[in-house]
């Protein structure tokens, strides 16, 4: 009997223990619901110090090199203006509606435009993705500043500058130029400076957008080290150059000129002996190039560089207009005449990035496109000086660019409007196919003239103040975020 | 009933004098040799019914037993009784001379306290007064001893005896005896068994108890498994439908989800494809109540399935599912339906809210079989099914096909010569050269007979062993199934074992184990249905002149001109598509009774699946969606899914002074759900490796998900005199899926019932014909988080290397959403349950309204300046309201014959009541406020312009227009049916049972992808359905199909006819009625099988999917995907079954 009792007690105790263990195992510990997912990386748990923040910044460069600066969109400013034309008028051709100034507002969601695209929605989404990522860096880096303050400054500065650079492009694609209204009070784009996608946003005036761009670039210049060591990353010189471009577009010639002149001193023009022009698009040390910031061809996990060069080889998408061919080849001593060959664009070298592994699928994408370079700064100084009445400086900076490309040409003596025309012409020649033409025309309040070269008879000229000079705002931003649509769409 | 008969016989045999029975057995064996089983049975049945023997006995105070022995000797009858009855018998004095047996028995029992019944050749002796006999010798105070018998006086084993208001419970042993310690005087004992009516008996201290239980004629008191416990139909306050294991055991389906079609009001089951062991396209209870779009076989919409307390995985095992139909694999098919004792389908808030955040789609509780105390029983079942394909769409023969092809050429290229057409065809299709210059096409191949197996055989064998005693019980089942699919080289094989065991090491303690393991091999087909074999051009011969496969076709199959398509027969022969799954589902539990009224239960359960999915594309064949052959591919996907659940529950049960009964429950539960997968792929096979060859490939996809859930819940039930029932539930669920601030969701419900028939006034009025009249109602909430992954709150990154440094970049498509909220469903339900005329008529009706708020959907469009396209987010609200009606009536109930009709009808109306988006489109469907979730959104077809044969659509002004763009899409139909149900007629005559089920579904549309079979020449080289032959040919023709144009291009134009684009042209009403099952079974009478030393014997035949009546002209109305698109899916089958069940 007592044995049985003892046995019962043992069983009872044992069972209680098991029960307690079961309870303990699944007890109400709060951290039971904190599950770390090891199968996938997440921003929230990956970025936790300066090193990982730098990894995230590297990721932003991948987005820029892989998706954002895509040949389709890089062609846009030259295609909708007068430097490029579609190789054929068949419906499989890319950006035909854009070329024909007949874009349509779309609800299409795509990261890369297809032949069906009627709008620039992909540039919008891709651009804002980078902007949001930069905003995250700017917001979060302060947490890790204590680790290494100067490194934090550098990372943050790059993020500011990239965020501004992307906004510059978007405001030019989706909004009329700064001078469209006297005080630039017309609708621009949302200037996004938060990574929180749940916050509402709206279109700011172009004036406000420019203020924000300038503020971001000023911050970047403050934070970035003055020494430039690798032009594959955003740096202080590039930030200043973008700021100079911004001031120029805004019509603030004084600021534009002084900033541009500073860059011209630090990054002299690349001479023919130094490899000009094809070395512009190769990876060189900062001391051996005039490029302040360049892209890198990549072939990384779904992010594949498809730079503009690829669209000039088989299958041929774009061709130079007769206009630009004439301009580039008008002087047989001008080395830039090789930028077009047999009616094709050959400005960008192929296979010019042998150090990259794995190589982009097309060798025609294997080069380092320039995002901003000294030639533009020289021409900016020249243009600003001319506008400000200092024609000597204007001619001198213009001649540097002219004579660099064609040592046989003499000094220019033009003045007044003729001088400005020469500057504009040189700017068109030097920067052709580099994604700025339409924006120049717009800021100069000039019409687009294609003449008999036009592929479509109804797309021969686009007067200034045309509604169709800017792309429609994506339909979902109009419908869901309440943005105003551009007139005409 | 039948089950019970077999058990009681088992208990009886040892008491019966068995000399004769051995003799009889020998006799029987001889007969066996002479004739077939069925004939045997018929003969014996006849002879048993017509015995008439004479008895001669002279007795004077002779013991009763001696007289009966004498009768046994003189006749074929045998007396069956229990020894105790002998003590009650009085000595007999009588004089009989050649008296008929019936008369002899009458005389014999005169003056006895015993009575008898004659059943076949047995005389079963029982007490005259069926109730309480109280032998004074039994029992000490506090210790109840007793015995339970049936009305025949036979001991009942495995009957549970509990003390009301406490948790004391014991089970009777094989002599029907029980003993309970420590019982208070004047306690009430509750005696209940599965096949007997429950009875309550007052116990007086110091007395023994004998209880006679009536056989159950009454379903109201059957145990119903509900959330974390059991109740009875009588006392239940929730809307619950119970399906018994035996109702579905014989169906030729490998998974029980399929078998529930038509059996459960409110539960819509659409099989989708006919793939053996495959998934379902609809498994939806009371309408869609979740925002998740199951675009690749996901199971968000499915009810939660809980097997023996363990929630089971239903998600497909492939890493990427199919968008054209349900997934090839279905984890539910890995569980043997034969192991199921019962399935409870919980529908309203009162029933489901105890499952909280996973319950808003309803809950299905599956309880597996248990051994019963008593003799160890063996059951063997064999079943053979033979299946054939259901009807196929008729396509054109070679001549008709060529007529259409030539016509398309001539219409598009006026003036083209026949020789030019032929030479173009020769350049596209295989041909033979019989003489130089004499080229001809191969004769049309008979794909149907080569690709399909019209007598696909399934063999099922299983043997189970079960039994136990008052301390423990067990059930073991071994099963082996080999199913061949109707598509050659497809099929599903399963080997499973189940072991359920329960032990009571002490009176206050119970521990148990439910476990099953299965090994499953599924061979599915990718080519045979997906590519639309029907569309194969008759010019594409299976084999060339040398008898070798023509491996790939360039034209005339699928979408022509986009490169090669593999020969589907060669795919079947050479490719491999195989899922090998290992499933383990186990639960271990312990239950402890303490402080009289308390019970503590602790459970740990595991659901484990390992699946190896192997796909091989032979290098001779082109890889699907690619253009060149000669590459070959082996893909090996390993998926491991392991879910662990642990819960601890404390119950309190107490009855207060007869009238009030209270039971309370509090519990805590934790779950860990993990899933890992790796995909290894090897391409560029230079040789042709065997599928088993170890792969040296690259891991191209992998993932590792983990989710945890932590819950607390409580329940209170109150019952006043079985008249007023009240229940309340509350559950708080925390999930790692959600962000910190939204982590816990709380769900509750309140339910009540009023059993009017228990009211004294009703009892007085209607006692004779009202068995039960109950009103019940409930309101409450439940949730769903199934459509979200654990990672929802985070922004995914991809890790790469950039300029010799590490880089991580945000995934472009998937922003995190830390603010996402639980989907929440608020339900009210009102029901009435009526049972009349001694259970001959039962009606259960329910009306409900379920409102789901915060629908979670993926792919919710974001404005572009967010930098993303879409997000998973809460998108709006949805309402389901409906009626369910089920009726069961026994129209005829006479001695040996009954005719019973079961009918049910469910109607559901699904409406999107709120949306943050004006029109969210998902393929051909739209989600628009005021319409059903996922309604068809199509342009309206306006027929053919009879002057030029051009296709037309209704433009925005309502006029026919040839401009497709001028037409605006409109809501033109819905995917989920308005209503569905089934009518089952069951006829029983003696051991025979014949039943026939008609299943119907109405009020929905199917968008038939038959546009490939009716393509107006847009895809000119594929074969066409017979319907395509009616086409416009010349001005004035009134035709249902437009002009045929080569590639859709009119002469000299670059603008195609767009007749085949999405429109109502291909939208059909899907309404159908199906004779889904007819079965005939025969239970051999005891007289036969007992002589064979068997406990039961049943033979059955059945036909499944025998007839379908529908206007839909596609493959089969069930061959559709979740978005209502009638695809070319694995064909549905008609099958015929023969089966045998033996118990011994």
């Amino acid at each position: 009997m007592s044995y049985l009792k003892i046995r019962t007690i043992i069983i009872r105790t044992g069972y209680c223990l098991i029960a307690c263990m079961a309870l303990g195992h699944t007890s109400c510990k709060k951290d039971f619901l904190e599950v770390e997912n090891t199968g996938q990386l997440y921003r929230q748990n990956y970025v936790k110090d300066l090193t990982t923040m730098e990894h995230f910044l590297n990721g932003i460069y991948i987005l820029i090199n892989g998706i954002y600066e895509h040949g389709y969109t890089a062609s846009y400013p030259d295609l909708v203006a007068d430097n490029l034309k579609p190789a054929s008028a068949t419906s499989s051709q890319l950006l035909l509606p854009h070329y024909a100034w007949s874009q349509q507002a779309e609800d299409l969601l795509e990261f890369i435009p297809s032949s069906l695209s009627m709008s620039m929605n992909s540039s919008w989404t891709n651009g804002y993705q980078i902007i949001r990522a930069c905003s995250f860096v700017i917001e979060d880096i302060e947490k890790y500043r204590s680790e290494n303050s100067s490194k934090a400054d550098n990372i943050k500065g790059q993020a500011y500058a990239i965020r501004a650079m992307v906004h510059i492009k978007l405001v030019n694609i989706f909004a009329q130029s700064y001078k469209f209204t006297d005080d630039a009070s017309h609708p621009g784009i949302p200037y996004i400076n938060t990574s929180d996608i749940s916050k509402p946003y709206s279109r700011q005036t172009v004036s406000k957008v420019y203020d924000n761009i300038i503020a971001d670039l000023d911050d970047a210049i403050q934070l970035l080290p003055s020494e430039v060591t690798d032009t594959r990353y955003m740096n202080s010189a590039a930030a200043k150059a973008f700021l100079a471009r911004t001031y120029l577009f805004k019509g603030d010639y004084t600021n534009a000129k002084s900033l541009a002149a500073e860059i011209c001193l630090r990054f002299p023009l690349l001479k023919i002996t130094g490899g000009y022009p094809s070395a512009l698009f190769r990876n060189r040390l900062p001391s051996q190039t005039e490029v302040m910031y360049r892209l890198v061809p990549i072939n990384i996990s779904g992010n594949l560089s498809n730079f503009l060069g690829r669209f000039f080889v088989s299958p041929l998408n774009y061709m130079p207009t007769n206009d630009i061919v004439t301009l580039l080849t008008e002087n047989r001593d001008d080395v830039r005449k090789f930028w077009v060959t047999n009616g094709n664009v050959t400005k960008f070298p192929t296979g010019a990035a042998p150090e990259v592994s794995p190589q982009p699928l097309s060798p025609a994408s294997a080069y380092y496109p320039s995002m901003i370079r000294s030639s533009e700064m020289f021409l900016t100084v020249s243009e600003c000086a001319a506008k400000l009445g200092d024609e000597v400086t204007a001619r001198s900076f213009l001649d540097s660019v002219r004579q660099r490309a064609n040592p046989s040409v003499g000094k220019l003596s033009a003045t007044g409007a003729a001088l400005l025309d020469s500057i504009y012409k040189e700017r068109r020649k030097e920067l052709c196919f580099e994604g700025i033409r339409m924006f120049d025309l717009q800021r100069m309040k000039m019409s687009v003239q294609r003449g008999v070269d036009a592929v479509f008879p109804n797309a021969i000229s686009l007067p200034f103040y045309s509604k169709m000079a800017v792309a429609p705002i994506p339909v979902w931003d109009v419908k869901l975020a309440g943005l105003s649509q551009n007139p005409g769409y | 009933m039948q089950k019970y008969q077999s058990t009681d016989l088992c208990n009886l045999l040892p008491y019966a004098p068995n000399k004769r029975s051995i003799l009889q057995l020998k006799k029987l064996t001889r007969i066996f040799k002479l004739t077939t089983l069925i004939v045997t049975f018929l003969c014996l049945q006849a002879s048993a019914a017509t015995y008439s023997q004479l008895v001669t006995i002279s007795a004077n105070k002779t013991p009763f037993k001696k007289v009966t022995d004498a009768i046994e000797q003189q006749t074929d009858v045998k007396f069956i009784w229990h020894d105790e009855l002998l003590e009650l018998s009085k000595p007999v004095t009588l004089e009989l001379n050649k008296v008929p047996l019936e008369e002899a028995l009458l005389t014999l029992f005169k003056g006895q306290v015993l009575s008898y019944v004659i059943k076949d050749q047995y005389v079963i002796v029982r007490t005259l007064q069926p109730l309480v006999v109280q032998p004074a010798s039994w029992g000490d105070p506090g210790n109840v001893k007793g015995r339970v018998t049936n009305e025949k006086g036979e001991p009942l084993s495995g009957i549970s005896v509990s003390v009301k208001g406490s948790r004391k419970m014991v089970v009777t042993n094989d002599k029907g005896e029980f003993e309970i310690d420590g019982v208070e005087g004047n306690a009430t004992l509750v005696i209940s068994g599965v096949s007997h009516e429950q009875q309550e008996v007052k116990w007086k201290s110091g007395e023994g108890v004998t209880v006679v239980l009536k056989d159950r004629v009454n379903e109201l008191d059957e145990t119903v498994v509900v959330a974390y416990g059991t109740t009875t139909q009588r006392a239940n306050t929730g809307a619950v439908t119970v399906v018994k294991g035996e109702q579905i055991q014989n169906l030729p389906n490998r998974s029980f989800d399929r078998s529930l079609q038509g059996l459960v009001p409110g539960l819509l089951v659409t099989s989708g494809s006919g793939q053996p062991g495959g998934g379902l396209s609809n498994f939806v209870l009371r309408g869609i109540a979740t925002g998740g779009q199951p675009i690749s076989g996901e199971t968000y919409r499915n009810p939660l399935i809980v097997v023996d307390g363990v929630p089971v995985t239903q998600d497909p095992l492939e890493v990427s599912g199919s968008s054209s139909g349900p997934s090839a694999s279905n984890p539910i098919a890995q569980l043997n339906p034969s192991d199921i004792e019962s399935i409870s389908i919980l529908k309203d808030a009162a029933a489901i809210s105890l499952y909280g955040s996973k319950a808003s789609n309803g809950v299905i509780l599956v309880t597996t079989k248990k051994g019963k105390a008593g003799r160890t029983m063996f059951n063997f079942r064999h079943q053979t099914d033979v299946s054939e394909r259901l009807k196929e769409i008729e396509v054109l023969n070679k001549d008709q096909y060529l007529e259409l092809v030539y016509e398309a050429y001539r219409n598009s290229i006026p003036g083209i010569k026949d020789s030019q057409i032929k030479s173009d065809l020769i350049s596209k299709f295989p041909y033979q050269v019989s003489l130089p210059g004499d080229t001809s096409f191969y004769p049309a191949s008979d794909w149907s007979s080569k690709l399909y197996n019209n007598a696909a055989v399934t063999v099922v064998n299983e043997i189970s062993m079960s039994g136990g005693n008052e301390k423990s019980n067990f059930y073991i089942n071994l099963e082996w199934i080999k199913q061949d699919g109707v598509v050659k080289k497809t099929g599903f094989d399963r080997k499973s074992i189940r072991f359920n065991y329960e032990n009571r090491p002490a009176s206050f303690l119970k521990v148990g184990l439910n476990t099953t393991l299965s090994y499953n091999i599924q061979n599915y087909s990718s080519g045979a249905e997906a590519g639309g074999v029907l569309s194969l051009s008759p010019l594409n011969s299976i084999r060339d002149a040398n008898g070798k496969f023509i491996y790939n076709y360039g034209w005339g199959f699928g979408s022509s001109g986009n490169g090669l398509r593999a020969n589907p027969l060669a795919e079947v022969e050479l490719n491999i598509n195989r899922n090998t799954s290992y499933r383990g589902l186990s639960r271990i539990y312990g239950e402890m009774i303490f402080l009289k009224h308390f019970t503590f239960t602790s459970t740990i359960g595991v659901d484990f699946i390992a699946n190896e999915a192997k796909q091989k594309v032979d290098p001779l064949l082109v890889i699907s969606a690619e253009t060149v052959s000669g590459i070959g591919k082996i893909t090996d996907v390993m998926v491991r899914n392991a879910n662990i659940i642990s819960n601890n529950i404390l119950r309190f049960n107490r009855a207060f002074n007869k009238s009030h009964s209270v039971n309370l429950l509090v519990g805590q539960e934790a779950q860990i759900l993990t899933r890992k997968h790796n995909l290894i792929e090897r391409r560029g096979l230079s040789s042709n490796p065997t599928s088993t060859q170890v792969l040296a490939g690259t891991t191209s996809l992998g993932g590792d998900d983990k989710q945890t859930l932590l819950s607390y819940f409580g329940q209170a039930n109150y019952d006043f005199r079985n008249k007023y029932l009240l229940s309340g539930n509350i559950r708080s669920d925390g999930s790692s899926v959600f962000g910190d601030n939204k982590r816990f969701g709380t769900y509750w419900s309140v339910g009540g019932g009023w059993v009017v028939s228990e009211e004294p006034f009703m009892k007085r009025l209607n006692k004779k014909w009202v068995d039960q009249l109950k009103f019940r109602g409930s309101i409450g909430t439940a949730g769903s988080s199934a459509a979200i992954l654990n990672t929802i709150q985070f922004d995914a990154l991809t890790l790469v290397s950039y300029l010799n440094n590490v880089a991580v970049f945000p995934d472009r498509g998937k922003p995190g959403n830390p603010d996402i909220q639980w989907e929440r469903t608020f339900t009210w339900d009102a029901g009435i349950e009526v049972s009349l005329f001694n259970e001959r008529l039962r009606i259960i009706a329910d009306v409900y309204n379920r409102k789901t708020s915060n629908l979670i959907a993926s792919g919710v469009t974001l404005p572009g300046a967010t930098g993303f396209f879409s997000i998973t987010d809460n998108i709006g609200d949805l309402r389901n309201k409906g009626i369910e009606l089920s009726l069961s009536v026994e129209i005829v109930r006479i001695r040996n014959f009954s005719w019973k009709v079961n009918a049910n009808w469910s109607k559901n109306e699904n409406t999107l009541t709120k949306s943050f988006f004006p029109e969210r489109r998902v393929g051909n469907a739209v989600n628009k406020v005021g319409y059903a979730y996922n309604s068809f959104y199509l342009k309206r077809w306006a027929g053919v312009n009879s002057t030029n044969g051009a296709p037309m659509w209704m433009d925005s002004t309502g006029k026919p227009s040839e401009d497709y763009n001028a037409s605006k899409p409109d809501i033109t139909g819905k995917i989920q049916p308005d209503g569905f149900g089934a009518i089952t007629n069951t006829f029983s005559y003696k051991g025979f049972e014949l039943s026939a089920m008609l299943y119907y579904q109405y009020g929905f549309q199917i968008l038939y992808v038959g546009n490939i079979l009716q393509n107006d020449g847009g895809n000119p080289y594929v074969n066409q359905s017979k319907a395509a032959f009616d086409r416009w040919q010349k001005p004035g023709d009134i035709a249902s199909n437009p002009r045929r144009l080569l590639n859709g291009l009119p002469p000299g134009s670059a603008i195609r006819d767009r007749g085949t684009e999405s429109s109502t042209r291909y939208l059909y009403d899907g309404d159908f009625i199906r004779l889904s099952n007819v079965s005939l079974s025969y239970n051999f009478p005891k007289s036969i099988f007992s002589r064979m030393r068997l406990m039961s014997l049943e033979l059955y035949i059945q036909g499944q999917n025998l007839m379908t009546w529908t206007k839909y002209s596609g493959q089969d109305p069930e061959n559709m995907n979740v978005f209502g698109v009638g695809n070319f899916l694995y064909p549905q089958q008609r099958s015929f079954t023969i089966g045998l069940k033996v118990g011994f």
Side-chain angles (χ1 to χ4, degrees), chain B residues 509-522:
Chain B
L509 190 61
K510 186 163 83 179
V511 290
L513 171 76
N514 301 89
T515 187
T516 185
L517 295 169
S518 72
Y519 170 60
N520 310 272
I521 298 175
Q522 181 190 39

Side-chain angles (χ1 to χ4, degrees), chain A residues 136-198:
Chain A
F136 166 72
V137 174
I138 294 162
E139 288 158 9
D140 245 41
I141 191 129
E142 293 306 324
K143 292 184 195 163
Y144 319 115
R145 171 168 298 282
S146 56
E147 290 172 35
N148 180 339
S149 180
S150 61
K151 190 176 180 183
D153 281 349
N154 191 347
I155 293 171
K156 193 176 184 182
Q158 291 182 54
Y160 271 124
I162 294 169
R163 186 164 85 181
M165 175 184 83
V166 176
H167 277 109
I168 292 171
K169 184 163 177 183
L170 295 180
V171 76
N172 275 295
I173 295 175
F174 293 97
Q176 296 286 358
S177 65
Y178 195 90
K179 305 262 187 66
F180 184 74
T181 50
D182 290 342
D183 53 356
S185 60
H186 57 284
I189 53 168
Y191 199 96
I192 302 286
N193 47 23
T194 170
S195 64
D196 183 354
I197 61 170
S198 65

Side-chain angles (χ1 to χ4, degrees), chain B residues 210-452:
Chain B
T210 295
V211 182
V212 177
L213 286 190
K214 282 187 193 163
D215 284 355
R216 184 184 294 273
V217 285
N218 194 327
E219 288 177 8
L220 294 174
D221 293 307
E222 281 186 31
T223 303
V224 175
V225 178
V226 292
Y228 298 98
T230 58
T231 178
T232 59
Q233 197 73 38
R234 196 184 283 283
N236 182 26
T237 56
V240 178
T241 301
V242 178
V243 173
K244 292 197 193 125
E246 62 248 38
Q247 282 174 270
I248 60 166
Q249 188 187 28
N250 300 342
L251 296 178
N253 300 322
R254 302 290 82 89
S255 57
F256 73 83
D257 47 5
R258 241 164 234 254
S259 301
L260 293 177
Q261 187 183 61
L263 297 179
V264 184
L267 182 67
L268 175 67
V269 182
T270 313
S271 61
S273 91
Q275 168 68 44
L280 299 172
S281 66
N282 268 322
F283 192 51
V284 176
L285 187 66
R286 291 187 166 181
I288 298 169
T290 184
Q293 302 285 3
I295 45 176
S296 44
E298 295 91 338
T299 53
Y300 316 128
R301 293 175 178 176
N302 295 19
L304 171 72
I305 297 180
V306 179
V307 177
D308 290 329
V310 183
V312 297
T313 305
Q314 300 178 63
D315 288 323
L317 304 164
E318 298 95 274
V319 166
S320 60
S322 145
S323 55
S324 57
S327 58
S329 64
N330 178 2
I332 301 301
Q334 298 164 357
L335 305 173
N336 180 5
S338 287
D339 290 333
I340 295 173
E341 175 72 37
S342 75
I343 303 174
S344 294
I345 294 91
L346 315 184
K347 297 189 268 196
D348 72 340
I352 64 177
S353 66
L354 212 49
Y355 285 100
S357 68
K358 299 215 150 180
S360 69
N361 295 325
V363 180
I364 293 183
L365 301 180
V366 176
T367 310
T368 58
K369 287 175 180 164
K370 229 170 145 173
K372 293 185 183 72
R375 217 198 92 161
T376 298
M377 306 266 295
F378 292 86
N379 277 293
F380 171 76
R381 185 171 81 98
H382 168 84
Q383 177 170 326
T384 298
D385 305 320
V386 180
S387 307
E388 62 174 5
R389 234 173 357 140
L390 281 187
K391 76 147 192 174
E392 153 172 304
I393 301 156
E394 281 191 88
V395 290
L396 303 180
N397 63 30
K398 191 175 165 186
D399 290 342
Q400 293 167 319
Y401 163 82
L402 284 172
E403 184 182 334
L404 291 194
V405 171
Y406 274 68
E407 187 176 313
Y409 272 95
R410 292 184 196 118
N411 285 348
S412 286
I413 314 168
I416 192 169
K417 294 193 190 105
D418 282 4
S419 58
Q420 290 171 300
I421 299 174
K422 176 151 185 201
S423 69
D424 192 34
L425 291 177
I426 289 286
S427 72
K428 293 183 163 65
F429 289 97
Y431 59 89
Q432 49 193 349
V433 186
S434 39
L435 289 166
D438 180 12
T439 52
S440 63
F441 297 111
Y442 287 97
S445 297
D446 181 5
W447 285 96
S448 187
S449 69
K450 293 285 193 304
L451 202 53
Y452 299 107

